[in-house]
Amino acid sequence: MEHHEHKLGWGLVGASNIAREWMIDAIRAQAGNDVAAVMSSDAARGNAYAATHRIPAAYDSLDALLADPAVDAVYISTTNELHAAQAIAAAKAGKHVLCEKPLALSIPDARAIIDACRQAGVVLGTNHHLRNAATHRAIRQAVLDGAIGKALFARVFHAVQLPAHLQGWRVNQPSAGAGVVLDITVHDVDTLRFILNAEPVDAVAMTPPSTLASGTVEDGVMAVLRFDNGVIAQLHDAFTVPYAGTGIEIHGTAGSLIGRDVMTQRPVGEVILRDATGDRPIAVEQENLYHRSLAAFNGAIQGRGAPAASGEDGLRSLAAAWAVLEAARTGQRTPVVLS
Ligand code: NDP
């Protein structure tokens, strides 16, 4: 039988921090994968980025990157308002699409990305990395195994200090989809959907006066989401508190799962099961979250399984984040709207 080695050339859409810090390495960790090109709206910065990261080509337009035959797939990590148009253009050019979260800034735009990728027959993934964490996968499995009986409540602790180099548009550019809800809450929602195997129905929320972000951009939030399996989830997200620590807890009729230091990009943290017999750690084999995301995406391209988070996951997690924003703005309990 003829054997074709799996090769995948990636085009980076956006000369971003996240690509530099995590994704270039994750791409190169996959057999047959490499970064073929980078696109930056600033040619000089794009060239410098390409040189620093040994990327063979730099373009200052998306069309030019998409015309490069060495590009089979794109990783989109531009600011959030650009994701939809770029993802749709890539799909139309026949490229597989791994897009950063939030998938888009509106539900119709997210739907348009999903439709364009389906029509083009290309794989679409949303880079909700936390699903790939060994800790969250262990929590999900324990819930599925009935370790805590019936799950009733969840608490997510994801209030951090946003590092100075990531502030910029996240805290001062509403048109780019700034704010803690589209940055962090959207991840919490996706993680809860993954762990609980349930969908959020509605939200209440409050935001404090901003201290780091400017204008109407929120830099902290406390929200409560109700899921369709009856679970009530409390979320605390912020850009402004360095010492709060992160975690997730799922509380059920027969036990509680407690994840400490798990709302993070790094493969760290611990999971404890607390029940009638006391506290005991659940063993987790830590693994780079982004490597696992890329491995699943490669598998999907080769007809094995699906991306860790699909386009539909991106859309649904975005919809719940919008419900949180709207609930905070109006003070009203707000439904999650999927259209
Ligand atoms: P960056 O601010 O690093 O990059 C976003 C865009 O800003 C780039 O596309 C680039 O534009 C421009 N840019 C970058 N650096 C500079 C600079 N020094 N001077 C001028 N312009 C610059 O964004 P992040 O990497 O923090 O985030 C990008 C996306 O990834 C967002 O959608 C975010 O939500 C998501 N993200 C996801 C994470 C995850 O773990 N899943 C973690 C962090 C971010 P150009 O394209 O024109 O070069």
Side-chain angles (χ1 to χ4, degrees):
M1 199 169 69
E2 206 181 344
H3 178 73
H4 292 286
E5 197 197 341
H6 170 64
K7 289 250 179 229
L8 197 66
W10 286 85
L12 305 181
V13 180
S16 67
N17 275 300
I18 174 77
R20 177 175 59 77
E21 290 177 359
W22 295 99
M23 293 297 284
I24 293 172
D25 161 69
I27 287 169
R28 290 180 170 152
Q30 306 305 311
N33 285 214
D34 206 349
V35 182
V38 60
M39 191 281 280
S40 167
S41 59
D42 178 325
R45 226 167 43 74
N47 285 329
Y49 195 96
T52 305
H53 301 290
R54 297 176 287 107
I55 299 170
Y59 301 107
D60 63 3
S61 84
L62 182 62
D63 286 349
L65 177 123
L66 295 177
D68 185 335
V71 173
D72 306 305
V74 295
Y75 167 61
I76 298 176
S77 63
T78 47
T79 47
N80 303 327
E81 84 285 14
L82 300 174
H83 294 177
Q86 292 171 334
I88 291 166
K92 286 186 172 155
K95 315 292 184 184
H96 301 290
V97 177
L98 179 57
C99 187
E100 268 307 339
K101 45 49 69 170
L103 181 59
L105 287 187
S106 74
I107 301 308
D109 277 0
R111 184 64 68 198
I113 297 174
I114 293 170
D115 290 346
C117 289
R118 189 180 295 128
Q119 272 164 28
V122 296
V123 172
L124 169 63
T126 311
N127 204 30
H128 279 298
H129 60 293
L130 290 166
R131 288 171 176 250
N132 298 289
T135 48
H136 292 297
R137 288 187 286 118
I139 293 171
R140 172 184 158 94
Q141 193 57 50
V143 171
L144 278 173
D145 292 346
I148 61 168
K150 179 172 169 44
L152 296 177
F153 299 99
R155 300 196 287 218
V156 181
F157 310 93
H158 205 164
V160 298
Q161 177 70 46
L162 186 64
H165 74 285
L166 295 184
Q167 291 179 13
W169 59 269
R170 273 187 181 76
V171 295
N172 62 21
Q173 211 175 308
S175 61
V180 77
V181 172
L182 290 177
D183 201 52
I184 295 183
T185 309
V186 74
H187 276 313
D188 300 348
V189 173
D190 192 72
T191 307
L192 287 168
R193 293 179 53 248
F194 173 69
I195 288 174
L196 299 170
N197 208 13
E199 295 298 339
V201 177
D202 53 12
V204 294
M206 286 189 194
T207 54
S210 292
T211 54
L212 176 69
S214 48
T216 56
V217 177
E218 83 290 347
D219 59 18
V221 67
M222 283 190 168
V224 177
L225 287 172
R226 186 168 60 96
F227 281 75
D228 61 4
N229 63 352
V231 170
I232 304 288
Q234 167 193 310
L235 318 179
H236 176 205
D237 302 326
F239 285 157
T240 48
V241 285
Y243 304 111
T246 76
I248 195 165
E249 299 175 355
I250 315 291
H251 301 286
T253 51
S256 290
L257 286 155
I258 297 164
R260 293 204 182 98
D261 197 17
V262 294
M263 306 307 288
T264 168
Q265 299 176 293
R266 291 169 296 117
V268 298
E270 58 174 7
V271 180
I272 288 165
L273 173 62
R274 176 177 299 158
D275 61 13
T277 64
D279 281 13
R280 57 190 179 282
I282 293 191
V284 290
E285 267 187 54
Q286 300 287 3
E287 181 182 349
N288 183 302
L289 285 64
Y290 299 94
H291 287 206
R292 193 179 169 90
S293 169
L294 258 293
F297 195 86
N298 269 267
I301 288 174
Q302 296 173 286
R304 288 183 279 102
S310 65
E312 191 68 30
D313 289 317
L315 181 148
R316 286 174 174 267
S317 299
L318 172 65
W322 272 119
V324 167
L325 274 177
E326 188 64 6
R329 191 180 66 79
T330 62
Q332 302 294 314
R333 183 161 163 170
T334 304
V336 176
V337 179
L338 296 176
S339 58

